[in-house]
Structures are given as structure tokens and as C-alpha cells.
Amino acid sequence: MKPRILLLIAFLTLTACKREQKKSASEPVLISSHVQYTEENEILNIQSGNFTYNFKKNQIPFKKIILLNASMAGYITELGAENLIIGVASPEYIYSEDIQNLIKEGKIQNVGNEQKYDVEKIISLKPDAIFTNHITSFDNTYKLLKDNGIQVIFLDEYLEQNPLEKTAYIKLFGKLFGKSQEATDLYNEINKNYQDLKKLAAKAKEKPTVLANEMYGNVWYLPGGKTSLAHFLSDANANYILKNDAGQKAVTMSFEEVFAKAGQVQYWINAGNHPSKKEMLTMNPVYSKLPVFNNGKIYVVTGKEKGKANDFFESGVVRSDLVLKDYIKIFHPELLPDYQFTYMKELQ
């Protein structure tokens, strides 16, 4: 009888161990097709593009970080984690007033710019991690930092073409900063707002035709039909002139090609950072030939701009709901009669 009891105990113990092992590995949290993370045996595993990171329990949450891209500041400010930042590159491009105040107080250091980072200063600050987009030409700099024991985390959020997936990066930042619940709650709120706004836009009786971006030199760079902007326009119930394009990158066209497609355009959005229509003509007189320039409405993303810093490229990266709300206000103002633009501004 005893051997049977011992065998039963051994079986139950082994089964319990297996269950415990299963519990120790979490389901992958998919941020997008580029980024995901899992937790296994108290280790946070992150997959970001071609890069993999593993952080033990005693390594996170991070207490000191450096940002080499202004767009990532939006995630930090939305989480109220500005006090974690000890260094930034190109501070003139950061919009956040709180971060700018910390820079003035000397609590956040300027560590250079995309032309040349101050590697010695970065090493002396001893950050827990550096967040940056991966730029191949800086591989030698990244290696030098890593050789000095500094963790460099590459997050290419700018590659994301689904607005809510770009927003979802906040969940990863929350995990790394010990603010996981706050980040999840914020994402859920933004997601709900976005879905509600999308449903609201679908009720509009008209679907206006839209042109986007502007010319640089002799080339007009229009967002492809599967880009982030194209997603916004579709969700705002607008008819983008390149909606049938299957690309996720800019489509280059001549003025004549754009002119041929723009006869019915009623709205021209994201038209650079011009202060007025008059100034647009000074830069490029051919714009006057477009019907939308003379009879339509033109909008720029300079509603929250200070010097070189523009909040559309900072908090707007996270707050996809507010960006969508701005576009709906442009195309269907009757649906949001009391709303004032967050990031957009109409040119006079």
C-alpha cells in the first residue's frame, strides 16, 4: 500500500510543478507585429524588431533613463514619469513643459543631438536604460555605450501604421517603469475613446475628399494608402485621394499628377507648418492652381507648437483619440460642435 501512496504523492507533486511552470510564463502581450513582451520565471522578455531584451526582477522598474528621440517623451509624460528622465538629446524639440522645467533646473542633461551624441556625458550619468530609434549609422556609438554597461533599447514606434498600435507602446513603457496598471488603464481609455469617435464619424451624411502633405522641391510626398494618416482619414469617414494605394510609405508624385487627382478635393490637411496661405504661395506659387487652395479649407498641425517643438509629434503619438477627434472636427464639425482643436489649426 505504501508504494502506491508514495507513487500518488510523487505524481501529484510533479503535476503541481508543471502547473507552477505554466503559471510562471505569461501570455505574450502583443503591442504590434513589431513589438511584444512576455514574463517568464520573473524575467521580462521583450522582442522589438530584430532586437531581444531580457530583464530580471531586480533590474526593473528603471529609475534613470535617457531619451534620444523627442517622440518618446509623449509616453513618459502621459505616464507622469518625467522624474525618471536624466538626459535627453535635442531638447529644443521637446514640447513638454514639465520636461523643459526639469532641464532648466539641471535635473535633465542635454546629451547632444542626432548629429553627435555626447557619449562621455551619457556614460557619466549611468542611466539604467537609453531609449532610441535604431539608426544604423550610429551602431558604433551604440556598441560603445553597451561596452560601458549601458542598456540601449531600440523602439521604432514611428514604423507603426495602426494609430492604436502606436498608442499601445505605452503598455511596454508602463511595464518598464513600474506603472503597468496605469498604462493599461490609459490605453483602454484611449482605445474606447477612439472606437466611440470612429462610430460617431460613421454617422456623418457626407464623406469629403481629402489631400494631404505638401511639396518639397518638385516632389509631392503623399502618405500611402496603408499609412497611419490614411488610417486616421478612413476612421474619420473621409475620402483620401490615395485610399486605394496599398503602400505603407510615402508616394512621390509631381504637381501635375496631384493636380489631376485633386479636382474634387475639399480639404487639404497636414500642409506643412506654414503660418498662412500667403506664405504657402511665397514658398510654392503653383499651389494657387489647386481648387482646394482657393475654395477649400487648409489645415496644419501647428496647434500646439513652441519654437522647434510640436506636441503633435509628442503627445499626439500616444493620444490617437485626440488626433482622430481633430480630423473629425475638420471634416464633420457638426458632430463635435463644442470641441476645440488639440493639434490642428486652419490656415487663413
Side-chain angles (χ1 to χ4, degrees):
M1 194 71 179
K2 275 187 179 181
R4 288 186 179 180
I5 293 173
L6 290 173
L7 188 62
L8 179 61
I9 291 172
F11 174 75
L12 292 173
T13 302
L14 183 62
T15 302
C17 287
K18 285 184 177 179
R19 285 177 180 169
E20 187 61 36
Q21 286 176 358
K22 284 184 179 180
K23 283 183 180 179
S24 67
S26 67
E27 289 295 317
V29 176
L30 298 176
I31 303 299
S32 72
S33 59
H34 296 107
V35 178
Q36 68 176 47
Y37 67 85
T38 58
E39 288 182 280
E40 187 173 1
N41 298 324
E42 298 191 335
I43 294 177
L44 178 65
N45 306 296
I46 302 171
Q47 184 71 43
S48 178
N50 296 323
F51 301 95
T52 302
Y53 307 94
N54 309 106
F55 297 108
K56 297 177 181 178
K57 189 175 181 180
N58 64 346
Q59 292 178 291
I60 52 176
F62 296 142
K63 296 294 191 295
K64 299 188 299 179
I65 64 168
I66 288 177
L67 305 179
L68 300 185
N69 297 88
S71 61
M72 294 186 186
Y75 297 100
I76 313 303
T77 55
E78 289 297 322
L79 286 173
E82 296 93 337
N83 62 305
L84 300 182
I85 305 172
I86 59 171
V88 295
S90 303
E92 66 273 18
Y93 289 103
I94 293 180
Y95 183 88
S96 166
E97 186 175 342
D98 290 335
I99 292 178
Q100 288 295 345
N101 286 337
L102 290 170
I103 292 171
K104 290 174 185 175
E105 294 169 9
K107 295 178 181 177
I108 295 178
Q109 299 294 309
N110 180 351
V111 296
N113 54 54
E114 289 186 358
Q115 300 300 316
K116 184 175 175 60
Y117 296 124
D118 190 335
V119 176
E120 289 185 5
K121 181 179 282 189
I122 292 173
I123 293 172
S124 69
L125 288 171
K126 298 180 180 179
D128 296 327
I130 291 174
F131 292 93
T132 183
N133 300 149
H134 180 253
I135 303 172
T136 304
S137 59
F138 277 103
D139 277 343
N140 288 336
T141 300
Y142 302 143
K143 183 179 184 304
L144 181 58
L145 292 170
K146 291 175 184 177
D147 289 345
N148 278 273
I150 296 175
Q151 180 68 64
V152 182
I153 300 175
F154 300 114
L155 296 175
D156 293 332
E157 84 295 335
Y158 70 94
L159 293 175
E160 305 297 348
Q161 301 304 330
N162 181 315
L164 284 170
E165 288 184 352
K166 191 172 290 190
T167 294
Y169 275 62
I170 199 164
K171 292 192 282 188
L172 177 57
F173 280 101
K175 200 71 184 173
L176 293 170
F177 299 160
K179 291 177 173 282
S180 190
Q181 190 59 54
E182 295 98 311
T184 299
D185 290 346
L186 181 56
Y187 173 79
N188 290 340
E189 178 186 346
I190 294 171
N191 181 46
K192 182 181 184 305
N193 291 345
Y194 194 100
Q195 301 303 336
D196 290 345
L197 286 163
K198 185 177 175 180
K199 290 176 185 176
L200 177 66
K203 296 178 181 179
K205 295 179 181 179
E206 295 184 357
K207 192 171 186 175
T209 303
V210 181
L211 172 66
N213 290 12
E214 63 168 341
M215 294 185 74
Y216 291 92
N218 297 319
V219 180
W220 199 306
Y221 294 87
L222 287 93
K226 299 300 180 183
T227 58
S228 178
L229 182 60
H231 278 290
F232 275 123
L233 298 183
S234 175
D235 293 342
N237 198 15
N239 179 35
Y240 176 42
I241 64 168
L242 288 189
K243 66 180 181 181
N244 295 323
D245 176 79
Q248 293 189 351
K249 296 181 180 180
V251 177
T252 58
M253 300 178 74
S254 66
F255 176 80
E256 290 73 22
E257 289 174 307
V258 173
F259 182 83
K261 290 178 173 290
Q264 302 302 313
V265 167
Q266 299 155 272
Y267 295 91
W268 180 358
I269 57 140
N270 293 36
N273 60 349
H274 302 285
S276 68
K277 292 173 71 174
K278 182 179 179 180
E279 193 269 347
M280 285 187 77
L281 288 185
T282 302
M283 296 293 292
N284 205 326
V286 297
Y287 289 153
S288 64
K289 297 180 181 180
L290 292 168
V292 67
F293 185 88
N294 301 298
N295 305 312
K297 290 179 175 289
I298 303 175
Y299 291 84
V300 291
V301 292
T302 58
K304 293 182 73 177
E305 190 175 58
K306 291 185 293 189
K308 295 181 179 180
N310 188 328
D311 203 28
F312 176 76
F313 302 108
E314 194 166 309
S315 73
V317 173
V318 189
R319 295 305 304 264
S320 52
D321 56 338
L322 295 180
V323 174
L324 178 61
K325 199 169 188 178
D326 272 9
Y327 286 128
I328 294 173
K329 177 69 175 182
I330 290 173
F331 309 132
H332 313 292
E334 73 282 359
L335 297 178
L336 296 167
D338 300 321
Y339 175 66
Q340 300 297 315
F341 290 121
T342 300
Y343 304 108
M344 311 295 171
K345 185 167 70 174
E346 183 180 0
L347 281 191
Q348 303 300 321

